[in-house]
Amino acid sequence: MVERQKQIGRDRVSRLVSWGHWFAFINGLLAIIVGYRYLDTIGLPESFIGWGYLVISTIGHFSFLAFMVYLVFIFPITLLLPYSRILRGYAATVATLSLCLLLYDTVIYDDYGLHLSPFVFDLAWADLNALLRGTSYIITPLAILVIELTLANFLWKRVEKIRKRNVGNKVVVLVGICFVASHLIHIWGDAADVTEITHFDDAYPLSYPATAKSLMESYGIEGSRDHRSQTPPKASLQYPLSPMQCTADSLPNILVIAVDSLRADLVDESTMPFLSSYAQQNMNFTKHLSGGNQFNSGMFSLLYALQGSYSNAVDLHYQSPVLTQELAAKGYDLGLFTTQDTLPAPLAIFDDFERVDAEHINSYAISDLQSIANWQQWTGSASQPWFSLLNLKSPDSYDTPIGFLGIKTVQSSSKLKPAQKVLFNQYRQSLNFIDKQIESVVNNLPKGTMVVITGVNGKMFTSNSDEERVNLSPDSVRVPMIIHWPNEESAKQIKYRTTHNGLVPAILTQTLGCTNPASDYSSDQSLMQPSDKTWVYVGDHRIFAIYQESEITVIDRHGKYRIYDSEYHKRLKKKLSAPELVEVMREGRRLYNH
């Protein structure tokens, strides 16, 4: 009798488990229906490869999410309370909450381009009225609950018939194949940079597709410079918002000297005497911020004039910056002078340039000297007008040529650790070397040349590249911005805050006579006028900081955030400043087609 009771109990649990598996599978299908809203935001694929990958990855991903919800929240209750009525009601409630959460995530993703996380949840909660319009947020959960209860009861009554058909194993195999195949295809797509596949990387919540690049790098395998497919995907980014209207009267030569890792606070008389004096004689923006702490994010903001959240836009793998497009249209010769190991991201950023690379073997200082020689040769033979971007890299690696006689060491104004003191003074030697090279370039320019001298990014004193990559302190992003306008008396010290995003509007309006508002192609106003924004976005789409008047908020790709004081010294125990951050997220979606 006891054995029979145990057997009845085991049969009941077995039936409940079987019911739970089918309930999870069908909820995975419902999640796919809800998840279609993500595709309204990012756009549908236009190739068989894209559609094939999208179908199998969608089936695999949402089925996996549904099974995880079942495994964590429903399966334990099946063992603890093996009573069908209780379990059906409980499972329907869990499924309803899960689908509502997914539906809410689609709304947030459409508005901000981000999935739910601690940061985004706080932000969305503050902006709840704007996100949830009408009464659908009341009616929809009730409708989903009715559907879930109906589904739970329907399956319970038919679970035995379904079990007898023995289709469960086939469904498991199908879902498993889709899940594994989607990751294998993504490994190939990531290695070959097939945008029809990688375009969907961030589309779904909790999606972490397998990649191949780290494996390739560990074996020393390098991809080609340009993996772009011949046919660009359908445009999802409207950049610029309207056609450019530019009518320039005169077309001066333009030289932009962009120095990697050039801190603003060390452009002084003892370290960089020429540049310090040049800044006093021209337009010097004393509170200037780069768009990022790395080469890619800094150069992206300098040339595209967009905040770093756009740096993963697939369109920009095929579309060069508005600035270089307009310069080319006006007949400018465009030349880029950098080292051969400089790889752009996004890939189209240097497409309009004639690129002249210096060889890089052991010393960036030697490479910089070669870049300058290449620049001198190019400008000597270029037809006017020309636009040249001279990228110097020595300070990033604290490099100077062998035998360089530099400057005496000094005490840092800030407290440094012993190892940092060594790096600080070696960095100053490198800056002094670069200062002499800038002097030789500027003093031999043709008359009437517009000159822009700035840092691609700032510098913190560390040999740890991982620490340097995630540090978004003012030391890493405060850079000089010095502009010489030809044929003008422009000695002026600008005290308001400016960013790299403001350089392109300044050149297009002041030099090329463009009448479009800066908002058509930039995330900021021209350098020539104070910005009406109370915040600055610094970083890329993975980790970024929001600089405000008295605090700095750092957010990573998982939505974790920390708030520091204005000098990055002290971590503050406070909540996000929601109104400004809502503006940040909206700016990050403003140029996308909806």
Side-chain angles (χ1 to χ4, degrees), residues 570-588:
K570 182 172 60 177
R571 187 174 168 185
L572 306 178
K573 295 181 179 179
K574 59 179 294 186
K575 282 288 186 181
L576 291 165
S577 179
E580 288 83 0
L581 288 167
V582 168
E583 289 182 28
V584 173
M585 296 301 106
R586 294 269 163 79
E587 173 59 35

Side-chain angles (χ1 to χ4, degrees), residues 398-456:
Y398 310 94
D399 199 18
T400 57
I402 294 174
F404 175 75
L405 297 176
I407 50 179
K408 65 180 182 180
T409 60
V410 299
Q411 182 72 36
S412 170
S413 59
S414 58
K415 189 176 181 180
L416 299 176
K417 297 176 182 178
Q420 290 177 318
K421 292 178 182 178
V422 175
L423 292 176
F424 167 73
N425 275 293
Q426 183 58 38
Y427 177 69
R428 290 181 63 249
Q429 303 299 327
S430 183
L431 291 187
N432 186 253
F433 163 70
I434 286 296
D435 186 62
K436 295 181 186 303
Q437 309 319 309
I438 292 175
E439 181 178 12
S440 68
V441 168
V442 171
N443 286 342
N444 291 285
L445 283 171
K447 188 176 179 181
T449 300
M450 177 184 174
V451 181
V452 178
I453 303 175
T454 189
V456 179

Side-chain angles (χ1 to χ4, degrees), residues 229-301:
S229 60
Q230 296 300 313
T231 305
K234 182 180 179 181
S236 61
L237 196 70
Q238 192 172 347
Y239 169 76
L241 288 176
S242 56
M244 298 298 293
Q245 305 293 328
C246 304
T247 54
D249 294 327
S250 60
L251 300 174
N253 295 328
I254 303 173
L255 168 64
V256 177
I257 301 177
V259 183
D260 289 7
S261 304
L262 177 58
R263 285 172 56 140
D265 61 342
L266 287 175
V267 180
D268 55 37
E269 291 182 3
S270 65
T271 306
M272 304 187 78
F274 171 77
L275 193 57
S276 177
S277 173
Y278 194 74
Q280 296 298 318
Q281 298 166 16
N282 292 282
M283 189 165 281
N284 181 26
F285 298 85
T286 60
K287 294 183 178 179
H288 189 81
L289 296 176
S290 170
N293 64 339
Q294 301 289 303
F295 176 85
N296 286 337
S297 52
M299 193 61 76
F300 177 84
S301 61

Side-chain angles (χ1 to χ4, degrees), residues 37 59 65 76 84 88 106 111 113 134 141 168 242 294 310 328 413 493 495 509 515 531 544 559 565 569 571:
R37 289 169 58 97
I59 294 172
L65 288 184
S84 66
R88 279 179 278 165
T106 65
D111 213 50
S242 56
Q294 301 289 303
Y310 288 102
S413 59
Q493 304 300 298
K495 302 295 185 182
T509 55
T515 57
S531 175
F544 59 94
D565 67 13
H569 291 154
R571 187 174 168 185

Side-chain angles (χ1 to χ4, degrees), residues 466-501:
D466 290 334
E467 181 185 4
E468 195 172 42
R469 180 177 53 82
V470 300
N471 184 284
L472 289 162
S473 66
D475 288 344
S476 296
V477 297
R478 282 182 183 159
V479 297
M481 174 59 76
I482 303 160
I483 300 180
H484 168 73
W485 295 102
N487 307 318
E488 289 186 23
E489 291 293 331
S490 57
K492 190 181 294 184
Q493 304 300 298
I494 307 298
K495 302 295 185 182
Y496 54 79
R497 185 168 63 185
T498 56
T499 74
H500 269 8
N501 296 334

Side-chain angles (χ1 to χ4, degrees), residues 291-536:
N293 64 339
Q294 301 289 303
F295 176 85
N296 286 337
S297 52
M299 193 61 76
F300 177 84
S301 61
L302 193 67
L303 292 181
Y304 274 108
L306 298 175
Q307 74 178 37
S309 57
Y310 288 102
S311 62
N312 68 328
V314 175
D315 305 62
L316 300 184
H317 282 253
Y318 302 89
Q319 186 174 357
S320 58
V322 164
L323 171 66
T324 57
Q325 289 182 45
E326 289 303 310
L327 288 168
K330 291 290 182 290
Y332 273 82
D333 289 339
L334 282 80
L336 168 67
F337 303 89
T338 184
T339 57
Q340 61 191 184
D341 61 338
T342 298
L343 297 177
L347 295 172
I349 191 169
F350 299 140
D351 276 9
D352 294 324
F353 289 93
E354 176 189 348
R355 180 165 170 165
V356 184
D357 288 346
E359 187 178 11
H360 173 61
I361 301 176
N362 294 317
S363 170
Y364 275 120
I366 300 302
S367 298
D368 286 345
L369 291 173
Q370 187 179 338
S371 288
I372 292 170
N374 291 339
W375 173 83
Q376 290 170 335
Q377 182 179 357
W378 184 84
T379 53
S381 60
S383 59
Q384 292 187 347
W386 49 255
F387 177 93
S388 58
L389 175 57
L390 178 58
N391 175 222
L392 304 177
K393 293 181 170 294
S394 301
D396 187 52
S397 55
Y398 310 94
D399 199 18
T400 57
I402 294 174
F404 175 75
L405 297 176
I407 50 179
K408 65 180 182 180
T409 60
V410 299
Q411 182 72 36
S412 170
S413 59
S414 58
K415 189 176 181 180
L416 299 176
K417 297 176 182 178
Q420 290 177 318
K421 292 178 182 178
V422 175
L423 292 176
F424 167 73
N425 275 293
Q426 183 58 38
Y427 177 69
R428 290 181 63 249
Q429 303 299 327
S430 183
L431 291 187
N432 186 253
F433 163 70
I434 286 296
D435 186 62
K436 295 181 186 303
Q437 309 319 309
I438 292 175
E439 181 178 12
S440 68
V441 168
V442 171
N443 286 342
N444 291 285
L445 283 171
K447 188 176 179 181
T449 300
M450 177 184 174
V451 181
V452 178
I453 303 175
T454 189
V456 179
N457 53 291
K459 184 70 172 176
M460 65 174 294
F461 302 122
T462 178
S463 56
N464 186 332
S465 59
D466 290 334
E467 181 185 4
E468 195 172 42
R469 180 177 53 82
V470 300
N471 184 284
L472 289 162
S473 66
D475 288 344
S476 296
V477 297
R478 282 182 183 159
V479 297
M481 174 59 76
I482 303 160
I483 300 180
H484 168 73
W485 295 102
N487 307 318
E488 289 186 23
E489 291 293 331
S490 57
K492 190 181 294 184
Q493 304 300 298
I494 307 298
K495 302 295 185 182
Y496 54 79
R497 185 168 63 185
T498 56
T499 74
H500 269 8
N501 296 334
L503 177 63
V504 168
I507 294 175
L508 289 178
T509 55
Q510 301 290 114
T511 303
L512 297 188
C514 299
T515 57
N516 297 62
S519 58
D520 274 4
Y521 53 85
S522 174
S523 294
D524 205 351
Q525 294 170 262
S526 168
L527 293 169
M528 309 308 291
Q529 58 189 30
S531 175
D532 56 2
K533 292 188 173 88
T534 59
W535 51 268
V536 174

Side-chain angles (χ1 to χ4, degrees), residues 7-199:
Q7 185 60 41
I8 292 173
R10 284 193 292 267
D11 289 344
R12 182 168 57 200
V13 170
S14 175
R15 186 182 179 192
L16 286 171
V17 168
S18 180
W19 168 86
H21 287 164
W22 282 107
F23 185 74
F25 172 70
I26 295 180
N27 268 282
L29 299 181
L30 294 176
I32 290 173
I33 295 172
V34 174
Y36 184 82
R37 289 169 58 97
Y38 293 115
L39 303 182
D40 287 340
T41 303
I42 64 172
L44 296 171
E46 294 191 325
S47 67
F48 288 115
I49 291 176
W51 271 110
Y53 172 74
L54 180 64
V55 168
I56 65 172
S57 66
T58 300
I59 294 172
H61 182 67
F62 285 110
S63 297
F64 177 76
L65 288 184
F67 181 71
M68 286 297 102
V69 171
Y70 165 76
L71 198 62
V72 173
F73 295 104
I74 299 176
F75 180 70
I77 305 301
T78 304
L79 303 180
L80 294 173
L81 294 172
Y83 304 104
S84 66
R85 290 185 179 180
I86 295 175
L87 191 63
R88 279 179 278 165
Y90 170 75
T93 303
V94 169
T96 299
L97 292 174
S98 300
L99 288 178
C100 287
L101 191 64
L102 182 65
L103 190 60
Y104 186 43
D105 187 71
T106 65
V107 173
I108 290 172
Y109 187 77
D110 183 58
D111 213 50
Y112 301 147
L114 297 171
H115 293 292
L116 272 175
S117 64
F119 157 65
V120 177
F121 185 82
D122 284 351
L123 190 63
W125 185 258
D127 198 29
L128 200 60
N129 289 335
L131 290 171
L132 300 180
R133 305 172 183 90
T135 58
S136 60
Y137 63 91
I138 298 174
I139 298 171
T140 302
L142 292 176
I144 293 175
L145 181 60
V146 170
I147 292 172
E148 292 292 352
L149 288 170
T150 303
L151 173 63
N153 290 322
F154 177 84
L155 280 175
W156 180 250
K157 292 177 181 178
R158 291 162 178 78
V159 68
E160 287 300 331
K161 290 182 180 179
I162 297 173
R163 290 171 75 180
K164 288 178 181 178
R165 291 180 180 176
N166 199 27
V167 294
N169 291 337
K170 297 175 183 177
V171 171
V172 170
V173 170
L174 175 64
V175 170
I177 289 174
C178 288
F179 183 79
V180 173
S182 66
H183 284 273
L184 292 175
I185 292 172
H186 189 273
I187 289 173
W188 166 75
D190 181 62
D193 203 8
V194 180
T195 54
E196 291 90 343
I197 292 173
T198 57
H199 177 54

